[in-house]
Amino acid sequence: DQQVKQNSPSLSVQEGRISILNCDYTNSMFDYFLWYKKYPAEGPTFLISISSIKDKNEDGRFTVFLNKSAKHLSLHIVPSQPGDSAVYFCAASHNTNAGKSTFGDGTTLTVKP
Amino acid sequence: NAGVTQTPKFQVLKTGQSMTLQCAQDMNHEYMSWYRQDPGMGLRLIHYSVGAGITDQGEVPNGYNVSRSTTEDFPLRLLSAAPSQTSVYFCASSYADTYNEQFFGPGTRLTVL
């Protein structure tokens, strides 16, 4: 039973356009959601997060939206740049276990020049 | 700060051999975790620790052992390596406050023949 799902294994967009990466979760106990970015042969790095008391969080070109009723979140990257090409992981946790997260399988984003 | 460091970067073992993957962090983080990533999949939690002397099992703990004698170090021991343990292993750390992102090491690529 996968509690965090990223149903699109890959996404390809043109430079300058918007990239939208999606994530669904099933565990209603999750109250904190994170996106990590991973380049080949490196560890994941934190990108942006959102707590369940918000429905949107913005950081520069990156915005995360949370729809609690649908148990769905999305990451928007505008405008997309070739350096954004990486694997993006969605992760979820709850405050009683802040040190561990449940990860989705990742979406490989390719931004074409 | 070096952040989270892992050694070795690469390792090849024969079935039945044992070894220890090393992980250290210099950020005084209370929480430390071990994940494995198999091809096309997300990160799955093996073991985690909320502080020195305290460890707990994650999603896939079988065949692995951990201990946490200091805040800085969190080694992962493979007791008797099996081909199913071929994977990339990531160590992560974070503060103990309720909502915090994890900082990941660069990973150890392990092959068991």
Side-chain angles (χ1 to χ4, degrees):
Chain A
D1 176 29
Q2 196 168 11
Q3 298 185 66
V4 178
K5 294 182 182 179
Q6 295 177 254
N7 291 319
S8 298
S10 62
L11 175 67
S12 181
V13 299
Q14 208 67 34
E15 181 179 6
R17 306 293 290 268
I18 184 171
S19 295
I20 300 176
L21 293 86
N22 294 304
C23 178
D24 297 295
Y25 63 97
T26 58
N27 189 340
S28 57
M29 291 290 291
F30 290 143
D31 58 3
Y32 191 56
F33 304 90
L34 310 94
W35 286 93
Y36 289 87
K37 179 179 180 179
K38 184 184 181 304
Y39 291 118
E42 294 183 10
T45 56
F46 170 73
L47 188 59
I48 193 170
S49 63
I50 188 167
S51 78
S52 59
I53 62 172
K54 295 185 174 182
D55 55 18
K56 177 182 174 182
N57 189 27
E58 200 169 348
D59 184 1
R61 296 185 297 114
F62 303 92
T63 303
V64 56
F65 296 91
L66 175 62
N67 182 334
K68 289 188 292 294
S69 60
K71 293 190 176 67
H72 177 82
L73 61 155
S74 61
L75 173 68
H76 292 211
I77 306 174
V78 183
S80 301
Q81 300 173 352
D84 295 330
S85 297
V87 178
Y88 289 78
F89 290 102
C90 172
S93 65
H94 53 85
N95 66 357
T96 57
N97 287 288
K100 62 182 214 179
S101 294
T102 301
F103 284 78
D105 287 345
T107 296
T108 300
L109 173 66
T110 303
V111 180
K112 298 179 179 178
Chain B
N1 284 354
V4 180
T5 57
Q6 292 183 238
T7 55
K9 287 192 184 305
F10 303 94
Q11 183 70 49
V12 179
L13 292 178
K14 293 181 179 178
T15 297
Q17 287 185 315
S18 62
M19 79 159 295
T20 299
L21 307 186
Q22 301 291 346
C23 174
Q25 52 92 9
D26 61 359
M27 297 172 282
N28 205 31
H29 286 165
E30 296 89 348
Y31 285 7
M32 294 187 76
S33 307
W34 276 103
Y35 294 88
R36 61 177 286 175
Q37 185 191 12
D38 299 322
M41 297 183 68
L43 284 75
R44 291 184 293 169
L45 184 66
I46 304 171
H47 286 285
Y48 69 102
S49 169
V50 300
I54 306 170
T55 64
D56 204 350
Q57 296 182 351
E59 181 186 356
V60 287
N62 292 341
Y64 306 95
N65 213 347
V66 293
S67 60
R68 183 114 178 256
S69 56
T70 67
T71 299
E72 295 78 18
D73 300 297
F74 191 42
L76 178 72
R77 280 180 282 278
L78 278 71
L79 309 172
S80 177
S84 61
Q85 293 179 304
T86 294
S87 190
V88 181
Y89 291 84
F90 292 101
C91 178
S93 70
S94 65
Y95 288 112
D97 295 334
T98 304
Y99 298 125
N100 276 290
E101 71 272 21
Q102 293 179 289
F103 292 79
F104 284 84
T108 294
R109 184 174 294 274
L110 175 68
T111 301
V112 182
L113 303 176

